[in-house]
Amino acid sequence: MSSHLSADHPAAQPPENDSVEALISQARRLRGDVDAVRRDSQEDAADARGRWQRALYDLALHQLTDLDAHLAQLRDGPAPAPRPGSLLSRVGSAEWNLLTDEAEWSGELFHILGRDPASVPLSLDELPSLVLAEDRPKLTAMVTDCLVDARPIDGEFRVVHPDGAVRTVHMMGEPVLDADGSTASMWAVLRDVSELRRSQRAVSETRDSLRHPPPPPWHGLLRFPDEGRPGLDLAAAHLPSASAAGPRSRYGGWYDACPLGADGETLLTVGDFEHPGAEAHGPAVVIGALRGLALAGVRPAGLGDRLGAWGGATALPPVRAGVYCGYRPLTRTLTCAHARGPAPLLFRGGTGRELPGPSGQAEAPLEAGDLLLLRTEALEPDAVERLLSLAPRLTGADSARDAVRMVTRELGASPGRRDVCVLVARVTP
């Protein structure tokens, strides 16, 4: 029969008190040394390495404090009544008798699970009522495996206290078998590990920030799959506003590439919105509308007007400006229309130029290696010149993704720009 923690099955006697006292003294000296080193550390907490070191010190202190409390329990025995908020109140025990359907909880367990010590201990069937809904299947599976297959319990779940506080509980237990080998009861030790897990998460997060430095000034980089867009290597990105106030909260934008017809034609679009708040939901709504119009046969030249007409009669956010291009891979022909948006830029052979046209429309034949740049407007009047100056590097880029990085780094150096969306299409052989 397996041992368990209850009045009927007492735990083994603790070591001699003098040995335990010696361990307690060592643990407390070590905790004091760690705390002193932590306080004397001159690492800048704002630095990634400094935050990581501080988190490790905090985690070590949590674990040494727990060790001290557990050794004190070995010396003094179970506390007669838990002290709210104390370390000793974070470890409790329970036994559930399957023959009589009775439950026996230690005083500490009531505190851990947020129950009134004067209340009746919950049965195994009632225990999930204290657990977060998403963690209940995990607890049920652990208990079932223990009772049916005699597997030890070792897992965690979250409980909700009456005041709404959520605590993480680590549960370890095993079945107690009768003379016939059947499960007669189940015992468990439960521990509140909320602070420990928070410290471990802090260590993990700061370690990740140390291993992976902040990204370069381009964000939202996306490489489109080739399926449905033959003949093009595509990539796009969103570059947030240089200022946290004003421009960023005023404009949002979108970019998209999708099949336009059965002949493999691709629709390429970028644009931005008029009003605050559009950034939260606008891109998905506009992209869906554009794809619907494209499937209905609307050509790029008509997309801007149709979006404007829909905007007045639906929840579609008003579009401030947009660029709409169709590319036919069989003839390598590009058709563009830009409604108040900046004209697309075409880069070829180390040079670049705008694609103007009457009424904001243009049609141009493309060649293998050509690179097309669509973007939303930037505030700088010299933005076009600066982008065209990248022509030798852009036409020599190995991929559309590399070209997007070059463009966003160039735009990211401008202190006065607002949100910018860019899309690069590179014609492949």
Side-chain angles (χ1 to χ4, degrees), residues 273 275-287 289 306-319:
F273 307 109
H275 300 310
E279 188 175 6
H281 65 278
V285 176
V286 169
I287 288 172
R306 292 295 294 271
L307 275 182
W310 276 15
T314 67
L316 196 70
V319 173

Side-chain angles (χ1 to χ4, degrees), residues 11-262:
Q13 291 298 314
E16 293 296 330
N17 278 354
D18 55 351
S19 299
V20 177
E21 284 288 358
L23 291 174
I24 291 174
S25 297
Q26 292 176 30
R28 290 178 178 175
R29 281 197 301 270
L30 180 57
R31 184 181 61 184
D33 292 343
V34 171
D35 188 40
V37 174
R38 182 181 71 93
R39 286 186 281 105
D40 293 341
S41 175
Q42 299 300 315
E43 293 285 351
D44 184 3
D47 174 74
R49 182 174 181 81
R51 291 194 301 270
W52 172 68
Q53 290 182 338
R54 178 58 60 91
L56 276 177
Y57 282 132
D58 290 342
L59 177 59
L61 286 173
H62 273 305
Q63 292 172 327
L64 288 170
T65 300
D66 285 348
L67 176 61
D68 180 27
H70 298 159
L71 291 173
Q73 281 187 327
L74 281 175
R75 180 192 61 192
D76 304 331
R83 292 173 293 167
S86 72
L87 289 169
L88 295 181
S89 68
R90 296 192 302 174
V91 179
S93 61
E95 182 171 353
W96 289 272
N97 191 310
L98 304 182
L99 304 179
T100 63
D101 203 27
E102 294 178 347
E104 181 180 341
W105 288 10
S106 69
E108 294 89 346
L109 186 56
F110 284 92
H111 178 67
I112 291 171
L113 299 182
R115 297 280 293 175
D116 183 352
S119 63
V120 177
L122 299 183
S123 67
L124 283 176
D125 292 335
E126 296 169 327
L127 187 62
S129 65
L130 304 178
V131 179
L132 280 181
E134 53 265 40
D135 289 356
R136 289 173 189 169
K138 183 195 305 183
L139 174 61
T140 300
M142 289 192 300
V143 171
T144 301
D145 289 345
C146 182
L147 298 180
V148 177
D149 299 326
R151 295 181 185 175
I153 290 178
D154 188 354
E156 294 183 4
F157 51 86
R158 291 165 295 172
V159 298
V160 184
H161 284 197
D163 61 0
V166 177
R167 309 294 295 179
T168 302
V169 176
H170 185 194
M171 182 177 184
M172 297 183 67
E174 62 183 50
V176 178
L177 307 181
D178 60 18
D180 298 328
S182 301
T183 302
S185 63
M186 189 188 89
W187 70 267
V189 174
L190 295 93
R191 179 184 177 207
D192 186 333
V193 294
S194 304
E195 284 77 15
L196 179 61
R197 295 297 174 255
R198 275 194 286 269
S199 295
Q200 289 173 334
R201 284 195 298 271
V203 170
S204 177
E205 290 168 1
T206 53
R207 181 183 64 236
D208 289 344
S209 66
L210 187 62
R211 290 178 175 174
H212 307 289
W218 49 268
H219 297 269
L221 185 64
L222 171 67
R223 189 180 191 280
F224 295 95
D226 294 333
E227 182 181 356
R229 289 164 283 274
L232 292 178
D233 175 21
L234 297 166
H238 167 239
L239 184 66
S241 167
S243 172
R248 176 164 187 169
S249 61
R250 187 176 178 188
Y251 297 106
W254 84 85
Y255 50 76
D256 187 40
C258 72
L260 188 57

